[in-house]
Amino acid sequence: MSNAWMNVTITGDAGYVRMHTSTNDDRDLGYPSGDARWTDEFRPTEQQPDALARALALAGTSRTGISGIVVTVHVNGQQV
């Protein structure tokens, strides 16, 4: 059986961020259950003036989740 994975690629700075996410576990089951891709955009808000920090807070860092899904996070080309 192959492993579930999620790749998150964040590009931008404090003023504007794009976060591209792709996975082979779109039903969040911990094993491959279908491919999905989406893009989120972040801009500063009064409550969260740093768009990059906001995206990083949502994405977290590269890790293996409790279900075994391998999550890889890149920020401006660098794995975190």
Side-chain angles (χ1 to χ4, degrees), residues 17-45:
V17 168
R18 291 190 104 174
M19 183 167 73
H20 300 283
T21 306
S22 59
T23 184
N24 70 343
D25 181 15
D26 71 333
R27 294 184 5 199
D28 201 20
L29 300 173
Y31 55 85
S33 60
D35 294 333
R37 281 180 228 126
W38 62 93
T39 300
D40 296 295
E41 295 179 335
F42 299 89
R43 290 180 171 74
T45 66

Side-chain angles (χ1 to χ4, degrees), residues 3-10 19-25 28 30 38 54-75 78-80:
N3 291 331
W5 53 264
M6 177 180 282
N7 294 322
V8 181
T9 303
I10 299 170
M19 183 167 73
H20 300 283
T21 306
S22 59
T23 184
N24 70 343
D25 181 15
D28 201 20
W38 62 93
R54 190 169 157 212
L56 283 168
L58 287 172
T61 59
S62 296
R63 63 203 176 272
T64 300
I66 194 165
S67 68
I69 188 170
V70 176
V71 180
T72 305
V73 180
H74 286 86
V75 178
Q78 298 292 319
Q79 185 172 339
V80 296

